[in-house]
Amino acid sequence: MPAVVIANTGDVPEFEGRITFNVIVCVVIAACGGLMFGYDIGVSGGVTAMDDFLKKFFYEVWERKQLAHENNYCKYDNKKLQLFTSSLYIAALIASFIASKTCSKYGRKPTMQLASIFFIIGVALTTFAVNIEMLIIGRLHLGLGVGFANQAVPLFLSELAPAKIRGALNISFQLFITIGILIANVVNYAAGKIHPYGFRISLGIAGVPALMLCLGSLAIHETPTSLIERKKVEEGRAVLKKIRGVDNVDREYDSIVHACEVASQITQPYHKLMKRESRPPLVIAIVMQVFQQFTGINAIMFYAPVLFQTVGFGSDAALLSSVITGLVNVLSTFVSVVLVDRVGRRALLLEACVQMFITQCIIGGILMKDLKITGNLPNGDALVVVIMVCVFVAGFAWSWGPLGWLIPSETFPLETRTAGFSFAVSSNMLCTFVIAQAFLSMLCHMRSGIFFFFAAWIVVMGLFALFLLPETKGVPVDEMVDRVWKQHWFWKRFFNDEQAVEKREAEMIRPHLI
């Protein structure tokens, strides 16, 4: 199984090893994939609020925006404008399945390098786009990069990290996403004042984190699990010694070799993934992604400047408000880094559900009461909306944001890990595509009701986390089946039947052997 240090959780001894500088470097460079993704999330919402960008590619939207009495909820409702944001995610959805095979056959490291190359091509096309077609093709290339990065990076981090700090190190991916969003918001705020090509500066800077990942990945190690899985056993042992900082890695090495031998017997991981015993981690992986997106977070992060303009802020003030929410996003993710391996995953998820539900209801209530089809919110109400958005973002940033990636990356056994995680990534991209493509139209037709729509989803996800989501804190990834799934009040039934069948078969064979 993956190169992990078993946490002190009862009678399971720890593998030898320490947190080495080597691991930290690998984590930081790999997490640049999150920086790449986060910057793109932030930049797309910012440039769609820039008049120069709208005049160049979406003239109808710009023209409608100038009308003094245009419907507050509908002035940005344009299918092509939504396609600019959402096209990336449909490409990422498709790419995640290809990336799954690339991860297994060639390794996590080459998959990350390929992600950065796709992303750099996409940045060049969007930065120098002369028409919508070129812009969308560039977004599709960005999507390929995001799909490959989101598949490889969380797996890389989970396999590299010791179990006792696996949550914190894996969340570095989400932390870099939030930093990317913040940087994009700051860049948008500054570039929005540069006419007429400020939006091109915003789009072009997206190439920086991609270049960092591309060059930095040349200096990092492949994970021991991936090396041993691909029959490079001595290289895998050498890397394991480097990342653990000790020479005695025999027990951990043997556990990885054993897991790889078991995994090698599975020639069709997707077929294995459809079996009954694989259902618990698969369901959790997919549902976590659906719920992550239906909190409404990406609707807010994509379109924060648009949303703030809708409630009465000017263009500059809207971009500045996005910078503030981006800063809250980064700082709150540090809360998750500190607490996830102490209080556990479920506690953070459940607390955040209460927090996000209350804030969505307050925002919806204010808009329903005071934001009419035309006109602006009173200044006091607009300030409350910004504060509530920040509180909502904080709750998401220390819970469903990072844990939506962490939990699926740590719960699959090795034989179905890349295949299972590809379902998680593709589910995330599909839901993100749906939200990105539909949000502005939903805002137009549902008005303030859209916030109650997301609040209802938060209730559902809170109940799911309460009753059906097991705690995985401190459990080594190679122990998940026995110590998590088979112990859970609901999910254990997916294993008991299999054990009963094996027992009956053994009893039938035994008389013939006597």
Side-chain angles (χ1 to χ4, degrees):
M1 273 290 161
V4 294
V5 175
I6 297 184
N8 231 343
T9 52
D11 58 353
V12 181
E14 287 190 7
F15 292 139
E16 290 190 38
R18 53 191 173 82
I19 303 167
T20 62
F21 178 74
N22 206 308
V23 167
I24 300 301
V25 171
C26 289
V27 167
V28 171
I29 292 173
C32 285
L35 189 67
M36 202 169 69
F37 185 28
Y39 186 90
D40 187 81
I41 291 175
V43 79
S44 59
V47 297
T48 54
M50 295 182 187
D51 286 345
D52 292 324
F53 177 79
L54 294 176
K55 279 192 287 186
K56 175 67 177 178
F57 298 108
F58 305 97
Y59 190 82
E60 291 179 3
V61 177
W62 176 80
E63 197 172 39
R64 193 188 312 163
K65 182 181 173 184
Q66 308 311 306
L67 299 177
H69 301 292
E70 181 61 38
N71 187 320
N72 270 324
Y73 294 100
C74 298
K75 59 186 175 182
Y76 289 96
D77 182 23
N78 181 277
K79 293 295 188 297
K80 289 183 178 179
L81 180 60
Q82 291 170 173
L83 184 62
F84 164 73
T85 297
S86 64
S87 56
L88 179 148
Y89 299 96
I90 202 67
L93 187 160
I94 296 169
S96 62
F97 289 103
I98 303 171
S100 169
K101 294 187 178 297
T102 306
C103 269
S104 296
K105 189 172 182 179
Y106 301 105
R108 285 51 162 161
K109 176 179 170 179
T111 305
M112 290 189 288
Q113 291 171 329
L114 194 56
S116 63
I117 292 170
F118 276 125
F119 205 87
I120 290 170
I121 294 171
V123 168
L125 288 170
T126 54
T127 302
F128 299 105
V130 294
N131 51 45
I132 293 179
E133 290 76 17
M134 188 173 174
L135 194 68
I136 298 302
I137 292 173
R139 292 288 292 176
L140 292 174
H141 278 81
L142 293 174
L144 294 175
V146 167
F148 274 77
N150 285 16
Q151 172 71 23
V153 173
L155 291 178
F156 180 90
L157 296 174
S158 284
E159 292 181 347
L160 204 70
K164 58 189 174 184
I165 59 164
R166 185 179 63 241
L169 291 189
N170 194 289
I171 287 173
S172 65
F173 178 64
Q174 178 69 21
L175 175 62
F176 273 58
I177 290 177
T178 63
I179 292 172
I181 294 172
L182 174 61
I183 292 172
N185 287 333
V186 172
V187 170
N188 286 336
Y189 180 67
K193 302 177 184 298
I194 302 173
H195 305 286
Y197 54 84
F199 69 90
R200 296 192 187 277
I201 295 175
S202 291
L203 294 172
I205 290 177
V208 175
L211 195 60
M212 289 169 59
L213 179 62
C214 185
L215 298 178
S217 62
L218 298 175
I220 63 177
H221 302 294
E222 181 59 87
T223 69
T225 299
S226 179
L227 290 167
I228 296 171
E229 186 180 24
R230 291 179 290 119
K231 311 302 180 186
K232 300 180 180 181
V233 290
E234 290 307 316
E235 188 178 347
R237 180 191 285 271
V239 170
L240 187 59
K241 290 180 179 180
K242 286 182 181 179
I243 64 175
R244 294 293 174 253
V246 296
D247 290 328
N248 184 14
V249 293
D250 291 346
R251 288 173 50 249
E252 184 172 4
Y253 172 79
D254 289 342
S255 73
I256 298 172
V257 170
H258 173 70
C260 290
E261 288 173 350
V262 173
S264 66
Q265 298 172 16
I266 305 299
T267 57
Q268 296 181 330
Y270 284 100
H271 178 72
K272 170 72 173 176
L273 201 59
M274 296 300 109
K275 289 186 176 294
R276 181 177 174 82
E277 65 270 17
S278 297
R279 208 167 298 165
L282 180 61
V283 170
I284 293 294
I286 293 174
V287 169
M288 286 295 292
Q289 304 309 311
V290 173
F291 285 158
Q292 186 192 72
Q293 298 311 308
F294 278 83
T295 58
I297 184 63
N298 273 347
I300 288 177
M301 299 312 293
F302 286 153
Y303 299 112
V306 173
L307 177 64
F308 290 133
Q309 285 191 38
T310 295
V311 299
F313 291 86
S315 295
D316 287 350
L319 289 172
L320 181 58
S321 299
S322 297
V323 172
I324 294 171
T325 58
L327 183 59
V328 169
N329 199 13
V330 172
L331 296 177
S332 300
T333 304
F334 278 107
V335 175
S336 188
V337 171
V338 172
L339 295 181
V340 67
D341 291 314
R342 298 182 182 181
V343 305
R345 283 66 161 150
R346 292 178 75 249
L348 290 174
L349 293 172
L350 291 170
E351 183 282 331
C353 282
V354 175
Q355 184 171 327
M356 292 189 296
F357 175 79
I358 292 172
T359 54
Q360 290 279 32
C361 289
I362 292 174
I363 294 171
I366 290 174
L367 298 188
M368 179 182 290
K369 178 177 179 291
D370 293 328
L371 185 64
K372 309 305 178 186
I373 292 178
T374 59
N376 295 330
L377 276 178
N379 290 338
D381 285 351
L383 181 60
V384 171
V385 168
V386 172
I387 293 172
M388 288 298 101
V389 167
C390 289
V391 175
F392 170 85
V393 168
F396 178 87
W398 63 56
S399 62
W400 291 88
L403 301 185
W405 294 110
L406 169 61
I407 292 173
S409 75
E410 66 184 3
T411 51
F412 285 102
L414 180 58
E415 58 265 29
T416 57
R417 184 167 303 146
T418 59
F421 197 69
S422 70
F423 273 91
V425 175
S426 60
S427 299
N428 184 284
M429 294 304 131
L430 177 60
C431 293
T432 306
F433 170 78
V434 170
I435 294 296
Q437 185 64 24
F439 175 71
L440 292 180
S441 296
M442 291 170 68
L443 182 63
C444 179
H445 292 92
M446 297 174 68
R447 300 180 186 176
S448 58
I450 192 171
F451 295 95
F452 297 109
F453 169 81
F454 289 127
W457 272 97
I458 291 171
V459 172
V460 174
M461 55 199 270
L463 293 174
F464 182 89
L466 181 62
F467 294 108
L468 294 176
L469 188 68
E471 180 57 68
T472 55
K473 180 187 73 170
V475 181
V477 287
D478 56 343
E479 297 283 332
M480 288 292 172
V481 172
D482 291 328
R483 294 174 57 186
V484 174
W485 302 116
K486 289 184 178 179
Q487 305 303 319
H488 191 268
W489 72 271
F490 179 78
W491 298 116
K492 66 182 181 182
R493 69 189 66 186
F494 290 87
F495 300 92
N496 291 343
D497 289 350
E498 181 190 16
Q499 292 171 343
V501 169
E502 291 176 352
K503 184 177 180 181
R504 285 196 299 270
E505 290 176 348
E507 289 173 349
M508 291 174 65
I509 294 172
R510 191 177 299 116
H512 297 287
L513 298 177
I514 295 174

